[in-house]
C-alpha cells in the first residue's frame, strides 16, 4: 500500500513539470534542413611501389629510386615536400632469395599532375602506381560551411511554412545533427589507370595537359530543428 501511495505521489509531481514544458512551447514547428556542395579535389594521394621483381632482379631498388626521383623532379614535383617513404621490406621465398620492395606516398595537386607523373613513372617501368584517395586542402572549412547552410535552410523552411498559416517563428529550441564525418573519396584504380593509359595513347603534345576525369567530392548535410510558433 505504501509503495502504491509513493508511486502515485511521483506521478502527481511529474504532471506539473510536464505541464510547464508544454506551456513553455504551446505550439512549434519541426522541419528538416538540407545543404550540399560539390568540390573539385586538389589533393591526390598516390602509392608507388618499386620492386626488384619487376626488373627480374636486374635493377636494384636503390637504382630505381634514383631514377624515380629524377623523373619526378623533371615533372615539377617537389620531392622533399610531396614524396614520403611508406615502407621498405624484403620478401623471402622458398629458394632463400630475397626481393627488396619500397613503397612511397606521393601527394599531388591536380589530375593533370597525376597524369604527368604516371606517364613519367611508366616510362621507367614503374607501373605499380595506385590512387589511395583524393581530398581537398580546405575540406574542413567546406564541411562547416555546408552544415551552417543546412541550418539556415531549416530556418527558412520553418519561416515559409509559418507564414502560410499567418504565424511567425520564434527561437529555435531543438537542433539534431545526425551527420557523420565525410570521408575522402576513394577510386577504383583499374578504371583510373585505364583512363591514364588512354590519355597516354594520344598525341604527345596533348598528353601532359589532358586532365583525368576525377569525380568531385560531394558534401551533404541534414539537420532537424524545432522552432516556436508565434
Amino acid at each position: 500500500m505504501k509503495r502504491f501511495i509513493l508511486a502515485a505521489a511521483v506521478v502527481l509531481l511529474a504532471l506539473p513539470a510536464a505541464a510547464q514544458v508544454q506551456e513553455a512551447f504551446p505550439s512549434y514547428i519541426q522541419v528538416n534542413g538540407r545543404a550540399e556542395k560539390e568540390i573539385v579535389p586538389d589533393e591526390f594521394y598516390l602509392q608507388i611501389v618499386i620492386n626488384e621483381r619487376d626488373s627480374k632482379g636486374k635493377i636494384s631498388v636503390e637504382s630505381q629510386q634514383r631514377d624515380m626521383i629524377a623523373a619526378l623532379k623533371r615533372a615539377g614535383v617537389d620531392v622533399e615536400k610531396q614524396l614520403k617513404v611508406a615502407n621498405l621490406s624484403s620478401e623471402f621465398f622458398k629458394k632463400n632469395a630475397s626481393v627488396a620492395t619500397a613503397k612511397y606516398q606521393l601527394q599531388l595537386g591536380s589530375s593533370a599532375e597525376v597524369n604527368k607523373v604516371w606517364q613519367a613513372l611508366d616510362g621507367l617501368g614503374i607501373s605499380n602506381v595506385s590512387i589511395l584517395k583524393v581530398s581537398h586542402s580546405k575540406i574542413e572549412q567546406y564541411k562547416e560551411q555546408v552544415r551552417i547552410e543546412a541550418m539556415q535552410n531549416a530556418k527558412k523552411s520553418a519561416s515559409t511554412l509559418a507564414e502560410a498559416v499567418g504565424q511567425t517563428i520564434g527561437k529555435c529550441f531543438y537542433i539534431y545533427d545526425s551527420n557523420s564525418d565525410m570521408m575522402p573519396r576513394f577510386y577504383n584504380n583499374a578504371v583510373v589507370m585505364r583512363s591514364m593509359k588512354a590519355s597516354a595513347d594520344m598525341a604527345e603534345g596533348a598528353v601532359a595537359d589532358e586532365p583525368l576525369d576525377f569525380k568531385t567530392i560531394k558534401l551533404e548535410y541534414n539537420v532537424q530543428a524545432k522552432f516556436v510558433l508565434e
Side-chain angles (χ1 to χ4, degrees):
M1 186 65 180
K2 290 182 178 180
R3 291 182 180 177
F4 177 77
I5 293 173
L6 179 61
V10 170
V11 171
L12 290 173
L13 288 172
L15 287 175
Q20 288 176 6
V21 172
Q22 188 173 4
E23 289 175 3
F25 305 113
S27 61
Y28 66 88
I29 182 170
Q30 178 177 318
V31 294
N32 293 318
R34 180 179 177 275
E36 65 178 42
K37 186 177 185 66
E38 292 191 3
I39 307 168
V40 177
D42 67 356
E43 291 182 345
F44 300 79
Y45 295 87
L46 277 64
Q47 178 176 270
I48 304 169
V49 180
I50 295 177
N51 198 319
E52 286 183 358
R53 189 188 305 157
D54 294 337
S55 64
K56 298 181 180 179
K58 296 178 181 179
I59 305 176
S60 67
V61 165
E62 290 79 7
S63 178
Q64 292 183 69
Q65 178 181 331
R66 288 193 295 270
D67 292 341
M68 177 189 70
I69 290 175
L72 291 176
K73 287 182 176 179
R74 288 194 297 270
V77 175
D78 185 344
V79 294
E80 297 294 330
K81 295 181 178 179
Q82 297 173 250
L83 182 67
K84 297 180 180 179
V85 178
N87 182 275
L88 293 171
S89 64
S90 294
E91 299 174 7
F92 291 89
F93 297 91
K94 295 180 180 180
K95 296 183 180 180
N96 296 324
S98 65
V99 178
T101 302
K103 293 182 181 179
Y104 306 85
Q105 181 174 300
L106 179 65
Q107 181 180 342
L108 299 173
S110 69
S111 59
E113 283 186 274
V114 174
N115 200 3
K116 191 174 182 179
V117 164
W118 181 83
Q119 292 176 47
L121 296 177
D122 190 57
L124 297 175
I126 301 174
S127 58
N128 196 343
V129 182
S130 57
I131 308 293
L132 293 176
K133 64 179 180 179
V134 302
S135 188
H136 195 282
S137 56
K138 297 181 179 179
I139 190 71
E140 294 303 324
Q141 295 179 32
Y142 285 126
K143 287 179 183 178
E144 192 70 20
Q145 176 185 335
V146 178
R147 291 177 100 126
I148 291 173
E149 290 175 356
M151 190 59 210
Q152 291 173 339
N153 176 253
K155 184 178 180 181
K156 182 178 180 181
S157 296
S159 180
T160 300
L161 292 173
E163 288 175 4
V165 292
Q167 292 183 271
T168 60
I169 60 169
K171 68 178 181 179
C172 177
F173 63 94
Y174 175 87
I175 299 174
Y176 179 62
D177 180 2
S178 61
N179 301 284
S180 58
D181 194 24
M182 296 292 177
M183 298 297 292
R185 180 178 287 279
F186 293 86
Y187 280 84
N188 182 328
N189 280 289
V191 174
V192 175
M193 296 307 149
R194 282 200 299 270
S195 177
M196 286 193 282
K197 185 64 177 175
S199 178
D201 293 336
M202 295 173 60
E204 292 185 3
V207 170
D209 296 326
E210 180 69 16
L212 295 173
D213 186 21
F214 281 97
K215 296 178 182 178
T216 58
I217 301 170
K218 187 174 183 179
L219 300 179
E220 183 176 354
Y221 285 101
N222 295 277
V223 296
Q224 187 182 92
K226 296 179 182 180
F227 295 86
V228 177
L229 279 175
E230 298 177 343

